Short mmCIF file of all heavy atoms in Angstrom, two decimals:
data_model
loop_
_atom_site.label_atom_id
_atom_site.label_comp_id
_atom_site.label_asym_id
_atom_site.label_seq_id
_atom_site.Cartn_x
_atom_site.Cartn_y
_atom_site.Cartn_z
N GLU L 138 -8.45 17.23 -2.37
CA GLU L 138 -9.01 17.54 -1.04
C GLU L 138 -8.22 18.66 -0.39
O GLU L 138 -8.82 19.50 0.27
CB GLU L 138 -8.98 16.29 -0.12
CG GLU L 138 -10.02 15.22 -0.47
CD GLU L 138 -11.46 15.60 -0.07
OE1 GLU L 138 -11.65 16.64 0.56
OE2 GLU L 138 -12.37 14.82 -0.41
N SER L 139 -6.90 18.63 -0.49
CA SER L 139 -6.09 19.58 0.29
C SER L 139 -4.93 20.24 -0.42
O SER L 139 -4.22 21.06 0.16
CB SER L 139 -5.48 18.80 1.47
OG SER L 139 -4.52 17.88 0.98
N ARG L 140 -4.74 19.90 -1.73
CA ARG L 140 -3.57 20.40 -2.46
C ARG L 140 -2.27 20.11 -1.72
O ARG L 140 -1.36 20.94 -1.71
CB ARG L 140 -3.67 21.91 -2.72
CG ARG L 140 -4.93 22.34 -3.40
CD ARG L 140 -4.89 22.11 -4.89
NE ARG L 140 -6.27 22.10 -5.42
CZ ARG L 140 -6.62 21.64 -6.63
NH1 ARG L 140 -5.71 21.13 -7.40
NH2 ARG L 140 -7.85 21.64 -7.01
N TYR L 141 -2.22 18.92 -1.06
CA TYR L 141 -1.02 18.42 -0.40
C TYR L 141 -0.63 19.26 0.83
O TYR L 141 0.47 19.14 1.36
CB TYR L 141 0.19 18.39 -1.33
CG TYR L 141 -0.06 17.66 -2.64
CD1 TYR L 141 -0.50 18.34 -3.76
CD2 TYR L 141 0.13 16.29 -2.71
CE1 TYR L 141 -0.73 17.67 -4.97
CE2 TYR L 141 -0.09 15.62 -3.91
CZ TYR L 141 -0.53 16.31 -5.02
OH TYR L 141 -0.74 15.64 -6.18
N ARG L 142 -1.53 20.09 1.34
CA ARG L 142 -1.21 20.96 2.47
C ARG L 142 -1.60 20.28 3.81
O ARG L 142 -2.77 19.95 4.03
CB ARG L 142 -1.94 22.29 2.33
CG ARG L 142 -1.32 23.22 1.29
CD ARG L 142 -2.23 24.36 0.91
NE ARG L 142 -2.87 24.98 2.06
CZ ARG L 142 -4.16 25.01 2.29
NH1 ARG L 142 -4.99 24.43 1.44
NH2 ARG L 142 -4.66 25.58 3.35
N THR L 143 -0.60 20.09 4.66
CA THR L 143 -0.87 19.38 5.93
C THR L 143 -1.76 20.19 6.85
O THR L 143 -2.43 19.65 7.73
CB THR L 143 0.43 19.05 6.66
OG1 THR L 143 1.14 20.25 6.95
CG2 THR L 143 1.29 18.08 5.87
N THR L 144 -1.81 21.51 6.64
CA THR L 144 -2.60 22.37 7.52
C THR L 144 -3.99 22.64 6.99
O THR L 144 -4.74 23.44 7.59
CB THR L 144 -1.90 23.73 7.74
OG1 THR L 144 -1.70 24.33 6.45
CG2 THR L 144 -0.56 23.59 8.43
N ALA L 145 -4.38 21.98 5.91
CA ALA L 145 -5.65 22.28 5.26
C ALA L 145 -6.82 22.18 6.22
O ALA L 145 -6.85 21.32 7.10
CB ALA L 145 -5.87 21.34 4.09
N PHE L 146 -7.78 23.11 6.06
CA PHE L 146 -8.93 23.19 6.96
C PHE L 146 -10.13 23.70 6.19
O PHE L 146 -10.00 24.66 5.43
CB PHE L 146 -8.60 24.12 8.13
CG PHE L 146 -9.79 24.44 9.01
CD1 PHE L 146 -10.20 23.52 9.97
CD2 PHE L 146 -10.45 25.63 8.89
CE1 PHE L 146 -11.29 23.81 10.78
CE2 PHE L 146 -11.56 25.93 9.72
CZ PHE L 146 -11.97 25.01 10.65
N ASN L 147 -11.28 23.08 6.38
CA ASN L 147 -12.52 23.60 5.80
C ASN L 147 -13.65 23.45 6.78
O ASN L 147 -13.87 22.42 7.37
CB ASN L 147 -12.84 22.82 4.51
CG ASN L 147 -12.11 23.38 3.33
OD1 ASN L 147 -12.33 24.54 2.92
ND2 ASN L 147 -11.17 22.61 2.80
N ASP L 148 -14.36 24.55 6.90
CA ASP L 148 -15.53 24.57 7.79
C ASP L 148 -16.79 24.34 6.94
O ASP L 148 -17.10 25.13 6.06
CB ASP L 148 -15.61 25.95 8.50
CG ASP L 148 -16.56 25.91 9.68
OD1 ASP L 148 -17.53 25.12 9.66
OD2 ASP L 148 -16.35 26.69 10.65
N ASN L 149 -17.47 23.20 7.20
CA ASN L 149 -18.67 22.88 6.42
C ASN L 149 -19.93 23.14 7.23
O ASN L 149 -20.93 22.48 7.02
CB ASN L 149 -18.66 21.40 6.04
CG ASN L 149 -17.35 20.95 5.49
OD1 ASN L 149 -16.78 21.59 4.62
ND2 ASN L 149 -16.83 19.84 6.00
N GLY L 150 -19.86 24.06 8.16
CA GLY L 150 -21.07 24.31 8.96
C GLY L 150 -21.12 23.44 10.19
O GLY L 150 -20.36 23.68 11.13
N PRO L 151 -21.94 22.37 10.16
CA PRO L 151 -22.04 21.57 11.39
C PRO L 151 -20.75 20.84 11.75
O PRO L 151 -20.50 20.58 12.92
CB PRO L 151 -23.15 20.58 11.09
CG PRO L 151 -23.33 20.58 9.62
CD PRO L 151 -22.85 21.90 9.13
N SER L 152 -19.90 20.53 10.78
CA SER L 152 -18.67 19.85 11.05
C SER L 152 -17.53 20.45 10.22
O SER L 152 -17.78 21.30 9.36
CB SER L 152 -18.79 18.34 10.79
OG SER L 152 -19.03 18.14 9.40
N ARG L 153 -16.29 19.99 10.49
CA ARG L 153 -15.13 20.57 9.80
C ARG L 153 -14.18 19.48 9.30
O ARG L 153 -14.15 18.37 9.85
CB ARG L 153 -14.40 21.50 10.76
CG ARG L 153 -15.04 22.86 10.93
CD ARG L 153 -14.88 23.43 12.30
NE ARG L 153 -15.62 22.66 13.28
CZ ARG L 153 -16.93 22.79 13.51
NH1 ARG L 153 -17.64 23.69 12.84
NH2 ARG L 153 -17.56 22.03 14.38
N ASP L 154 -13.41 19.77 8.27
CA ASP L 154 -12.44 18.85 7.65
C ASP L 154 -11.02 19.29 7.96
O ASP L 154 -10.69 20.46 7.80
CB ASP L 154 -12.62 18.79 6.14
CG ASP L 154 -13.98 18.21 5.73
OD1 ASP L 154 -14.53 17.39 6.48
OD2 ASP L 154 -14.45 18.58 4.65
N TYR L 155 -10.14 18.32 8.30
CA TYR L 155 -8.79 18.63 8.78
C TYR L 155 -7.70 17.88 8.05
O TYR L 155 -7.78 16.66 7.84
CB TYR L 155 -8.68 18.30 10.25
CG TYR L 155 -9.57 19.14 11.16
CD1 TYR L 155 -10.90 18.79 11.40
CD2 TYR L 155 -9.07 20.30 11.75
CE1 TYR L 155 -11.72 19.58 12.21
CE2 TYR L 155 -9.86 21.08 12.56
CZ TYR L 155 -11.19 20.72 12.78
OH TYR L 155 -11.97 21.49 13.60
N GLY L 156 -6.65 18.61 7.63
CA GLY L 156 -5.41 17.98 7.12
C GLY L 156 -5.41 17.51 5.70
O GLY L 156 -6.35 17.76 4.94
N ILE L 157 -4.33 16.85 5.32
CA ILE L 157 -4.15 16.48 3.92
C ILE L 157 -5.26 15.58 3.40
O ILE L 157 -5.60 15.64 2.23
CB ILE L 157 -2.77 15.81 3.58
CG1 ILE L 157 -2.56 14.55 4.41
CG2 ILE L 157 -1.65 16.76 3.72
CD1 ILE L 157 -1.48 13.67 3.78
N PHE L 158 -5.86 14.76 4.26
CA PHE L 158 -6.95 13.90 3.81
C PHE L 158 -8.33 14.53 4.12
O PHE L 158 -9.35 13.88 3.89
CB PHE L 158 -6.86 12.51 4.49
CG PHE L 158 -5.63 11.73 4.17
CD1 PHE L 158 -4.64 11.52 5.13
CD2 PHE L 158 -5.43 11.18 2.91
CE1 PHE L 158 -3.50 10.81 4.84
CE2 PHE L 158 -4.27 10.46 2.60
CZ PHE L 158 -3.32 10.27 3.57
N GLN L 159 -8.31 15.73 4.68
CA GLN L 159 -9.58 16.42 5.00
C GLN L 159 -10.50 15.54 5.80
O GLN L 159 -11.67 15.26 5.40
CB GLN L 159 -10.22 16.93 3.72
CG GLN L 159 -9.49 18.14 3.15
CD GLN L 159 -9.66 19.37 4.02
OE1 GLN L 159 -10.65 20.08 3.97
NE2 GLN L 159 -8.69 19.62 4.91
N ILE L 160 -10.00 15.06 6.92
CA ILE L 160 -10.76 14.17 7.80
C ILE L 160 -11.78 14.95 8.60
O ILE L 160 -11.47 15.98 9.18
CB ILE L 160 -9.76 13.38 8.67
CG1 ILE L 160 -8.97 12.37 7.75
CG2 ILE L 160 -10.47 12.65 9.82
CD1 ILE L 160 -7.84 11.67 8.43
N ASN L 161 -13.02 14.40 8.64
CA ASN L 161 -14.15 15.13 9.18
C ASN L 161 -14.41 14.93 10.68
O ASN L 161 -14.30 13.82 11.18
CB ASN L 161 -15.40 14.76 8.36
CG ASN L 161 -16.58 15.63 8.68
OD1 ASN L 161 -17.40 15.30 9.52
ND2 ASN L 161 -16.63 16.80 8.03
N SER L 162 -14.78 16.01 11.35
CA SER L 162 -15.00 15.99 12.78
C SER L 162 -16.31 15.32 13.21
O SER L 162 -16.52 15.04 14.36
CB SER L 162 -14.94 17.41 13.35
OG SER L 162 -15.99 18.18 12.77
N LYS L 163 -17.18 15.07 12.25
CA LYS L 163 -18.49 14.45 12.61
C LYS L 163 -18.28 12.99 13.06
O LYS L 163 -18.89 12.58 14.03
CB LYS L 163 -19.43 14.53 11.39
CG LYS L 163 -20.75 13.79 11.59
CD LYS L 163 -21.78 14.61 12.36
CE LYS L 163 -23.05 13.77 12.57
NZ LYS L 163 -23.89 14.28 13.66
N TYR L 164 -17.45 12.26 12.29
CA TYR L 164 -17.27 10.87 12.61
C TYR L 164 -15.89 10.47 13.12
O TYR L 164 -15.75 9.46 13.77
CB TYR L 164 -17.56 10.00 11.34
CG TYR L 164 -18.95 10.22 10.78
CD1 TYR L 164 -19.12 10.96 9.64
CD2 TYR L 164 -20.06 9.68 11.44
CE1 TYR L 164 -20.39 11.19 9.12
CE2 TYR L 164 -21.32 9.92 10.91
CZ TYR L 164 -21.49 10.69 9.78
OH TYR L 164 -22.76 10.89 9.27
N TRP L 165 -14.87 11.22 12.73
CA TRP L 165 -13.52 10.67 12.84
C TRP L 165 -12.62 11.29 13.87
O TRP L 165 -11.79 10.60 14.47
CB TRP L 165 -12.85 10.67 11.46
CG TRP L 165 -13.69 10.04 10.46
CD1 TRP L 165 -14.47 10.64 9.49
CD2 TRP L 165 -13.98 8.62 10.32
NE1 TRP L 165 -15.18 9.71 8.79
CE2 TRP L 165 -14.90 8.46 9.27
CE3 TRP L 165 -13.53 7.50 11.02
CZ2 TRP L 165 -15.38 7.20 8.89
CZ3 TRP L 165 -13.99 6.25 10.62
CH2 TRP L 165 -14.91 6.11 9.57
N CYS L 166 -12.70 12.61 14.09
CA CYS L 166 -11.82 13.24 15.07
C CYS L 166 -12.64 14.16 15.94
O CYS L 166 -13.78 14.51 15.65
CB CYS L 166 -10.67 14.01 14.38
SG CYS L 166 -11.21 15.39 13.31
N ASN L 167 -12.04 14.59 17.05
CA ASN L 167 -12.73 15.46 18.01
C ASN L 167 -12.17 16.88 17.94
O ASN L 167 -11.01 17.11 18.22
CB ASN L 167 -12.53 14.88 19.43
CG ASN L 167 -13.15 15.76 20.48
OD1 ASN L 167 -14.06 16.56 20.22
ND2 ASN L 167 -12.65 15.63 21.70
N ASP L 168 -13.03 17.84 17.60
CA ASP L 168 -12.60 19.23 17.62
C ASP L 168 -13.29 20.03 18.73
O ASP L 168 -13.14 21.27 18.77
CB ASP L 168 -12.72 19.91 16.25
CG ASP L 168 -14.15 20.07 15.79
OD1 ASP L 168 -15.09 19.68 16.51
OD2 ASP L 168 -14.34 20.59 14.65
N GLY L 169 -14.02 19.32 19.54
CA GLY L 169 -14.65 19.97 20.70
C GLY L 169 -15.86 20.83 20.36
O GLY L 169 -16.41 21.47 21.24
N ARG L 170 -16.23 20.91 19.08
CA ARG L 170 -17.40 21.74 18.72
C ARG L 170 -18.26 21.09 17.63
O ARG L 170 -18.82 21.76 16.81
CB ARG L 170 -16.95 23.14 18.36
CG ARG L 170 -15.87 23.20 17.26
CD ARG L 170 -15.48 24.66 17.04
NE ARG L 170 -14.38 24.76 16.07
CZ ARG L 170 -14.46 25.51 14.96
NH1 ARG L 170 -15.54 26.18 14.68
NH2 ARG L 170 -13.45 25.59 14.12
N THR L 171 -18.26 19.73 17.61
CA THR L 171 -19.11 19.04 16.66
C THR L 171 -20.05 18.11 17.47
O THR L 171 -19.64 17.04 17.87
CB THR L 171 -18.29 18.22 15.67
OG1 THR L 171 -17.31 19.04 15.07
CG2 THR L 171 -19.16 17.59 14.59
N PRO L 172 -21.28 18.58 17.72
CA PRO L 172 -22.18 17.79 18.55
C PRO L 172 -22.39 16.37 17.96
O PRO L 172 -22.55 16.23 16.75
CB PRO L 172 -23.47 18.59 18.51
CG PRO L 172 -23.08 20.00 18.16
CD PRO L 172 -21.87 19.83 17.27
N GLY L 173 -22.31 15.37 18.83
CA GLY L 173 -22.59 14.00 18.39
C GLY L 173 -21.43 13.37 17.62
O GLY L 173 -21.61 12.30 17.03
N SER L 174 -20.24 13.99 17.65
CA SER L 174 -19.11 13.38 16.97
C SER L 174 -18.76 12.00 17.57
O SER L 174 -18.74 11.85 18.78
CB SER L 174 -17.86 14.28 17.11
OG SER L 174 -16.73 13.60 16.60
N SER L 175 -18.55 11.02 16.67
CA SER L 175 -18.20 9.70 17.19
C SER L 175 -16.71 9.53 17.38
O SER L 175 -16.26 8.56 18.00
CB SER L 175 -18.77 8.60 16.28
OG SER L 175 -18.69 8.96 14.93
N ASN L 176 -15.89 10.44 16.83
CA ASN L 176 -14.43 10.43 17.04
C ASN L 176 -13.87 9.02 16.93
O ASN L 176 -13.15 8.54 17.81
CB ASN L 176 -14.12 11.04 18.42
CG ASN L 176 -12.60 11.21 18.68
OD1 ASN L 176 -11.81 11.14 17.74
ND2 ASN L 176 -12.23 11.43 19.92
N THR L 177 -14.16 8.37 15.83
CA THR L 177 -13.77 6.97 15.63
C THR L 177 -12.27 6.77 15.62
O THR L 177 -11.77 5.72 16.05
CB THR L 177 -14.39 6.41 14.35
OG1 THR L 177 -15.82 6.63 14.43
CG2 THR L 177 -14.14 4.92 14.17
N CYS L 178 -11.51 7.76 15.18
CA CYS L 178 -10.04 7.64 15.16
C CYS L 178 -9.44 8.00 16.51
O CYS L 178 -8.19 7.93 16.67
CB CYS L 178 -9.44 8.49 14.03
SG CYS L 178 -9.80 7.86 12.39
N ARG L 179 -10.27 8.44 17.47
CA ARG L 179 -9.79 8.75 18.82
C ARG L 179 -8.65 9.73 18.75
O ARG L 179 -7.52 9.46 19.27
CB ARG L 179 -9.36 7.48 19.56
CG ARG L 179 -10.41 6.45 19.68
CD ARG L 179 -10.96 6.42 21.10
NE ARG L 179 -12.41 6.14 21.09
CZ ARG L 179 -13.39 7.00 21.41
NH1 ARG L 179 -13.08 8.22 21.82
NH2 ARG L 179 -14.64 6.66 21.35
N ILE L 180 -8.87 10.88 18.15
CA ILE L 180 -7.79 11.86 17.99
C ILE L 180 -8.37 13.26 18.00
O ILE L 180 -9.50 13.51 17.57
CB ILE L 180 -7.02 11.60 16.68
CG1 ILE L 180 -5.73 12.39 16.64
CG2 ILE L 180 -7.85 11.86 15.44
CD1 ILE L 180 -4.76 11.99 15.55
N ASN L 181 -7.57 14.18 18.54
CA ASN L 181 -7.87 15.60 18.48
C ASN L 181 -7.66 16.07 17.06
O ASN L 181 -6.57 15.88 16.49
CB ASN L 181 -6.91 16.32 19.45
CG ASN L 181 -7.15 17.80 19.55
OD1 ASN L 181 -7.53 18.44 18.59
ND2 ASN L 181 -6.80 18.34 20.74
N CYS L 182 -8.69 16.67 16.44
CA CYS L 182 -8.58 17.09 15.03
C CYS L 182 -7.36 17.95 14.73
O CYS L 182 -6.80 17.89 13.65
CB CYS L 182 -9.84 17.86 14.64
SG CYS L 182 -11.37 16.93 14.68
N SER L 183 -6.93 18.76 15.73
CA SER L 183 -5.81 19.67 15.43
C SER L 183 -4.51 18.88 15.20
O SER L 183 -3.61 19.37 14.55
CB SER L 183 -5.65 20.69 16.59
OG SER L 183 -5.20 20.03 17.77
N LYS L 184 -4.45 17.64 15.72
CA LYS L 184 -3.30 16.78 15.45
C LYS L 184 -3.22 16.38 13.96
O LYS L 184 -2.18 15.97 13.45
CB LYS L 184 -3.34 15.51 16.29
CG LYS L 184 -3.30 15.74 17.77
CD LYS L 184 -1.86 15.76 18.33
CE LYS L 184 -1.28 14.36 18.30
NZ LYS L 184 0.15 14.38 18.62
N LEU L 185 -4.35 16.50 13.28
CA LEU L 185 -4.37 16.15 11.85
C LEU L 185 -3.94 17.30 10.98
O LEU L 185 -3.93 17.23 9.76
CB LEU L 185 -5.79 15.67 11.45
CG LEU L 185 -6.30 14.47 12.24
CD1 LEU L 185 -7.76 14.19 11.88
CD2 LEU L 185 -5.44 13.23 11.96
N GLN L 186 -3.57 18.40 11.61
CA GLN L 186 -3.09 19.59 10.84
C GLN L 186 -1.59 19.86 11.06
O GLN L 186 -1.07 20.82 10.49
CB GLN L 186 -3.86 20.84 11.27
CG GLN L 186 -5.29 20.84 10.73
CD GLN L 186 -5.94 22.20 11.05
OE1 GLN L 186 -6.27 22.46 12.20
NE2 GLN L 186 -6.11 23.01 10.06
N ASP L 187 -0.94 19.05 11.87
CA ASP L 187 0.51 19.28 12.07
C ASP L 187 1.28 18.58 10.94
O ASP L 187 0.68 17.98 10.03
CB ASP L 187 0.96 18.84 13.46
CG ASP L 187 0.76 17.36 13.69
OD1 ASP L 187 0.64 16.59 12.73
OD2 ASP L 187 0.74 16.95 14.88
N ASP L 188 2.61 18.72 10.99
CA ASP L 188 3.44 18.20 9.86
C ASP L 188 3.69 16.68 9.98
O ASP L 188 4.24 16.07 9.05
CB ASP L 188 4.75 18.92 9.81
CG ASP L 188 4.58 20.35 9.29
OD1 ASP L 188 3.45 20.65 8.82
OD2 ASP L 188 5.54 21.10 9.31
N ASN L 189 3.34 16.09 11.09
CA ASN L 189 3.48 14.64 11.23
C ASN L 189 2.21 13.98 10.71
O ASN L 189 1.16 14.04 11.37
CB ASN L 189 3.70 14.29 12.72
CG ASN L 189 3.86 12.80 12.94
OD1 ASN L 189 3.69 11.98 12.01
ND2 ASN L 189 4.20 12.41 14.15
N ILE L 190 2.32 13.32 9.54
CA ILE L 190 1.12 12.79 8.95
C ILE L 190 0.89 11.31 9.26
O ILE L 190 -0.02 10.68 8.72
CB ILE L 190 1.07 13.00 7.40
CG1 ILE L 190 2.21 12.24 6.72
CG2 ILE L 190 1.08 14.48 7.06
CD1 ILE L 190 2.00 12.16 5.19
N ALA L 191 1.69 10.73 10.19
CA ALA L 191 1.51 9.36 10.56
C ALA L 191 0.10 9.10 11.10
O ALA L 191 -0.52 8.09 10.74
CB ALA L 191 2.55 8.96 11.61
N ASP L 192 -0.41 10.01 11.93
CA ASP L 192 -1.75 9.80 12.49
C ASP L 192 -2.85 10.03 11.43
O ASP L 192 -3.87 9.36 11.44
CB ASP L 192 -1.99 10.67 13.75
CG ASP L 192 -1.46 12.09 13.63
OD1 ASP L 192 -1.18 12.52 12.50
OD2 ASP L 192 -1.29 12.75 14.65
N ASP L 193 -2.60 10.96 10.52
CA ASP L 193 -3.53 11.18 9.40
C ASP L 193 -3.67 9.89 8.58
O ASP L 193 -4.77 9.48 8.18
CB ASP L 193 -3.06 12.28 8.46
CG ASP L 193 -2.77 13.60 9.14
OD1 ASP L 193 -1.90 13.65 10.04
OD2 ASP L 193 -3.42 14.61 8.80
N ILE L 194 -2.51 9.28 8.30
CA ILE L 194 -2.49 8.05 7.51
C ILE L 194 -3.27 6.92 8.20
O ILE L 194 -4.07 6.23 7.57
CB ILE L 194 -1.03 7.65 7.25
CG1 ILE L 194 -0.44 8.53 6.14
CG2 ILE L 194 -0.93 6.16 6.87
CD1 ILE L 194 1.05 8.35 5.93
N GLN L 195 -3.03 6.79 9.50
CA GLN L 195 -3.71 5.75 10.26
C GLN L 195 -5.22 5.95 10.20
O GLN L 195 -5.98 5.00 10.00
CB GLN L 195 -3.20 5.81 11.69
CG GLN L 195 -3.34 4.48 12.42
CD GLN L 195 -2.83 4.60 13.86
OE1 GLN L 195 -2.43 5.68 14.32
NE2 GLN L 195 -2.82 3.48 14.56
N CYS L 196 -5.66 7.18 10.38
CA CYS L 196 -7.09 7.48 10.38
C CYS L 196 -7.70 7.30 8.97
O CYS L 196 -8.77 6.74 8.85
CB CYS L 196 -7.33 8.89 10.91
SG CYS L 196 -9.05 9.30 11.14
N ALA L 197 -6.97 7.77 7.94
CA ALA L 197 -7.48 7.61 6.58
C ALA L 197 -7.67 6.15 6.23
O ALA L 197 -8.62 5.76 5.56
CB ALA L 197 -6.51 8.28 5.59
N LYS L 198 -6.75 5.32 6.71
CA LYS L 198 -6.87 3.87 6.44
C LYS L 198 -8.07 3.29 7.15
O LYS L 198 -8.76 2.41 6.62
CB LYS L 198 -5.58 3.15 6.91
CG LYS L 198 -4.51 3.11 5.86
CD LYS L 198 -3.48 2.05 6.16
CE LYS L 198 -2.92 1.42 4.88
NZ LYS L 198 -1.87 0.46 5.16
N LYS L 199 -8.35 3.78 8.35
CA LYS L 199 -9.50 3.31 9.07
C LYS L 199 -10.80 3.69 8.32
O LYS L 199 -11.72 2.85 8.15
CB LYS L 199 -9.53 3.91 10.49
CG LYS L 199 -10.67 3.42 11.36
CD LYS L 199 -10.50 3.88 12.81
CE LYS L 199 -9.79 2.85 13.61
NZ LYS L 199 -9.73 3.15 15.05
N ILE L 200 -10.84 4.93 7.83
CA ILE L 200 -12.03 5.41 7.08
C ILE L 200 -12.25 4.53 5.83
O ILE L 200 -13.34 4.05 5.58
CB ILE L 200 -11.87 6.89 6.69
CG1 ILE L 200 -11.78 7.76 7.94
CG2 ILE L 200 -12.99 7.33 5.78
CD1 ILE L 200 -11.35 9.21 7.68
N ALA L 201 -11.17 4.37 5.04
CA ALA L 201 -11.26 3.59 3.80
C ALA L 201 -11.59 2.15 4.09
O ALA L 201 -12.40 1.52 3.37
CB ALA L 201 -9.95 3.69 3.02
#
Side-chain angles (χ1 to χ4, degrees):
E138 287 286 355
S139 68
R140 306 280 160 196
Y141 308 93
R142 285 165 45 242
T143 58
T144 57
F146 171 79
N147 276 294
D148 195 331
N149 313 311
S152 63
R153 281 147 292 279
D154 295 331
Y155 295 85
I157 58 161
F158 298 109
Q159 287 290 278
I160 291 172
N161 190 265
S162 63
K163 174 82 183 161
Y164 302 105
W165 308 104
C166 63
N167 176 23
D168 66 0
R170 52 183 177 126
T171 307
S174 171
S175 38
N176 186 15
T177 305
C178 291
R179 302 255 145 249
I180 191 168
N181 182 329
C182 297
S183 69
K184 297 271 288 172
L185 300 174
Q186 287 186 288
D187 62 20
D188 287 351
N189 180 353
I190 63 166
D192 42 17
D193 305 61
I194 283 172
Q195 205 180 4
C196 187
K198 273 197 147 177
K199 183 171 268 185
I200 296 169

